[in-house]
Amino acid sequence: MKNYSNKYVICKSCVMDSSDSKIQFDENGNCDYCQNFKKKIKKNFENFNVKNQKIFRIATEIKKQSKTKYDCLIGLSGGVDSSYLAYFIKRELKLNPLVIHVDTGWNSVESSGNIEKIVDGLDLVLETVVIPWREMRDLQLSFFKAQHPNLDIPQDHAIFATLYNYAIKNNIKYILTGGNFSTECIREPLEWAYHASDVRHIKDIHKKFGESELKKFPLCDIFTYKIYYRFFKGLKVIQPLNYIKFNKEESMEFLKNQFGWIKYEHKHYESRFTKFYEGYWLLKKFGYDKRKAHFSSLILTGQMKREEALIKLSKSPFDQQEIENEFNFVCKKLDISEDELKNIMAKRNKSFKDYNSRYHIIQFFVKLLRFLGIEHRLIR
Ligand SMILES: [Zn+2]
C-alpha cells in the first residue's frame, strides 16, 4: 500500500481520493477503505436469515427487561435511517419506543414534516427536546471562529448527548439507533470529520472562542457513555438496521408510499445547517466533499454505480442562487453579518489537532476495538 502525497489520486473501485491525505492505494489502484471493506465489513452482509432471527430475539429480551412504560429510546431526525428504524422497531419488532427529536434550531421544512408523518403514521409518542438557542449559536460560532473543519460537532453532540442522558435519567436501558453499515461503511477521515463525542475538544474550542457560558447545552463524553453508562448503568445501544437487508433507495420509496415521507437531495440534509456546511462550506473552504464517503459506502454495498457517483460529484451540490440564499439564511439565523461570515471563510484553515482533545486515547481504543473485531470501520 502506498500514499501518493504529492498528486491527485482517486480509487479505481470507490470514489475516495487523495483529499483524504492518509489514503493508501494498492498496486491495482484500490484504496485501503475498499480493502478494509472486503476484509472486515463485507461479511456483515451475509446470513441475513440468521441475523433477522437474532434481532427478533433481541427485541423479545428488550421487552422482557423493560421496567418503564417504554421499551427503548430512539432518536428521530426525519432522515431515512431514523425514519425507517422507527417503522421497523414499531411495526416489525413490535416494540414500544419513546421517540426523541432533538431540535437544534435548524430543522428543514421537509424534516419537520417527515417527523410528523412518521410519528402520526406509526402512532408513536414523541418528545421534542429543544437545545437552548443562545448556547447552540454560541458553540456553533465558536467552531466557525476556530476555523474547524467539522462545524457539525455542536449539532451532532447535542443530539446524541441528549439521547444518552435522557435514557439514563429516565431509567431506559436500551437505545436503538439508525446507525448502519449499509450507508455508512466508510467513515469520513478524522481530518474532515473529527469525533463529535470528545467533550475535551468541545470545551477547549468554546473556552477560546465562546462568548457566554454553556449552562444547559447537553454534554456526554465518549468515555462516559462507552464505559460508565454501559458498564455501570447497564445502558445498551443496538443498531437494528445492521440485522436486516437495509437498502437506502428502497427504504425511501417504502417510506414515501407508506407515510407520504419526503426524500432529501442528500444524506444528512434534513438539517439546514448541515446542508449549508457539507454542501458548501466544507467543500469550498477545505476541499472536503463528504459525498465521496457517502457514495463510496453505497458503491461498496452495491447500491450505486461508480459512474453515477462520479457524475454527481462533478456537479456542485448547490447552484449559485441557492448558495446565496443559504448563505444569507445562515447569517440571519446566527445573527451575524454576511461580511463577518465572509471574513471567517477567508481566514486560514485549521485542523482538530490545533485544539486540545482526547484524540490519542480515543485512537488507542479504536485500534483495540478493531483488534478485538468489535469496530470494523477504518477510523483515522
Ligand atoms: Zn476505494
Side-chain angles (χ1 to χ4, degrees):
M1 297 300 272
K2 206 176 157 194
N3 174 267
Y4 302 87
S5 53
N6 48 3
K7 62 171 186 176
Y8 177 79
V9 188
I10 181 166
C11 174
K12 292 265 189 319
S13 299
C14 70
V15 290
M16 288 303 282
D17 63 13
S18 43
S19 57
D20 170 2
S21 66
K22 291 189 178 132
I23 196 166
Q24 297 196 351
F25 298 91
D26 66 15
E27 64 281 6
N28 299 317
N30 295 316
C31 76
D32 46 356
Y33 290 106
C34 285
Q35 207 172 62
N36 182 66
F37 178 81
K38 271 187 211 147
K39 251 196 250 164
K40 305 215 165 189
I41 301 180
K42 207 173 169 194
K43 57 177 182 272
N44 292 291
F45 294 92
E46 290 157 6
N47 300 324
F48 276 115
N49 285 344
V50 180
K51 278 190 195 142
N52 234 292
Q53 290 169 5
K54 197 173 173 195
I55 191 65
F56 278 89
R57 277 204 304 275
I58 293 173
T60 310
E61 186 61 29
I62 292 175
K63 252 185 253 166
K64 216 163 73 187
Q65 288 199 15
S66 169
K67 290 187 182 70
T68 61
K69 201 168 145 196
Y70 303 104
D71 298 323
C72 59
L73 205 66
I74 61 167
L76 184 62
S77 69
V80 57
D81 300 351
S82 66
S83 299
Y84 194 81
L85 173 82
Y87 156 78
F88 180 69
I89 67 169
K90 173 82 186 196
R91 287 273 170 86
E92 306 263 334
L93 299 181
K94 313 267 187 242
L95 289 171
N96 182 29
L98 173 63
V99 181
I100 305 273
H101 172 64
V102 183
D103 182 353
T104 58
W106 292 95
N107 276 355
S108 64
V109 179
E110 293 91 340
S111 74
S112 304
N114 280 345
I115 290 166
E116 211 179 290
K117 283 169 192 162
I118 294 292
V119 167
D120 289 349
L122 290 168
D123 197 18
L124 295 164
V125 178
L126 171 74
E127 188 154 330
T128 298
V129 178
V130 180
I131 306 298
W133 173 246
R134 246 174 66 97
E135 297 187 20
M136 189 72 217
R137 172 187 176 271
D138 193 40
L139 193 56
Q140 284 188 309
L141 280 176
S142 304
F143 274 76
F144 270 109
K145 291 172 191 164
Q147 301 295 333
H148 199 292
N150 192 357
L151 294 184
D152 242 347
I153 286 178
Q155 276 203 108
D156 289 346
H157 192 90
I159 291 167
F160 78 78
T162 300
L163 234 61
Y164 284 122
N165 294 343
Y166 192 101
I168 293 298
K169 203 170 152 198
N170 294 281
N171 206 21
I172 297 175
K173 297 290 180 203
Y174 286 90
I175 294 180
L176 273 48
T177 83
N180 65 88
F181 286 127
S182 176
T183 62
E184 298 168 338
C185 61
I186 292 190
R187 195 224 185 266
E188 301 98 347
L190 295 177
E191 63 181 331
W192 306 6
Y194 182 68
H195 302 291
S197 48
D198 183 345
V199 170
R200 182 189 281 176
H201 195 56
I202 293 173
K203 282 188 173 166
D204 188 48
I205 287 167
H206 185 255
K207 198 174 120 197
K208 287 178 173 128
F209 301 98
E211 286 174 359
S212 53
E213 225 180 307
L214 295 182
K215 284 183 186 154
K216 289 186 178 162
F217 192 89
L219 291 170
C220 178
D221 191 65
I222 186 165
F223 294 109
T224 307
Y225 71 81
K226 290 256 187 208
I227 296 171
Y228 180 62
Y229 284 2
R230 182 167 171 194
F231 296 107
F232 295 90
K233 293 282 187 178
L235 179 67
K236 293 189 184 76
V237 179
I238 292 165
Q239 302 184 324
L241 300 185
N242 278 338
Y243 294 84
I244 57 170
K245 261 190 195 157
F246 178 63
N247 178 294
K248 191 184 164 192
E249 212 48 51
E250 285 170 13
S251 303
M252 289 200 286
E253 219 26 58
F254 176 84
L255 292 170
K256 197 175 113 194
N257 295 335
Q258 285 275 321
F259 306 105
W261 185 91
I262 292 167
K263 197 173 161 173
Y264 308 101
E265 302 127 81
H266 196 66
K267 189 173 168 65
H268 297 154
Y269 281 11
E270 59 266 25
S271 156
R272 221 166 148 182
F273 182 80
T274 306
K275 186 176 169 185
F276 167 81
Y277 155 64
E278 289 188 6
Y280 173 67
W281 189 272
L282 186 66
L283 188 56
K284 166 118 180 165
K285 184 167 162 59
F286 291 86
Y288 302 150
D289 192 342
K290 283 202 181 191
R291 294 177 304 172
K292 288 175 186 167
H294 303 155
F295 292 163
S296 293
S297 294
L298 296 176
I299 293 168
L300 288 175
T301 54
Q303 300 178 70
M304 190 188 247
K305 291 259 177 294
R306 185 170 179 272
E307 296 70 37
E308 187 192 341
L310 289 172
I311 293 168
K312 284 193 173 169
L313 287 172
S314 69
K315 294 176 192 148
S316 159
F318 287 127
D319 64 38
Q320 193 54 37
Q321 188 55 51
E322 266 184 307
I323 290 171
E324 280 166 31
N325 290 346
E326 291 305 298
F327 202 93
N328 181 274
F329 175 79
V330 168
C331 290
K332 270 200 187 134
K333 176 86 190 168
L334 288 173
D335 195 18
I336 58 170
S337 70
E338 290 201 19
D339 281 344
E340 253 175 286
L341 195 57
K342 279 179 188 156
N343 276 339
I344 294 174
M345 186 152 213
K347 285 196 179 140
R348 196 171 65 84
N349 293 342
K350 291 204 172 168
S351 134
F352 72 90
K353 290 188 176 160
D354 290 311
Y355 301 99
N356 289 343
S357 72
R358 294 191 208 279
Y359 169 69
H360 293 290
I361 179 90
I362 295 173
Q363 282 314 97
F364 169 79
F365 277 101
V366 166
K367 277 182 192 150
L368 182 68
L369 292 176
R370 273 177 63 84
F371 177 75
L372 295 172
I374 296 166
E375 175 63 62
H376 303 292
R377 294 171 311 164
L378 205 56
I379 302 176
R380 57 153 184 252

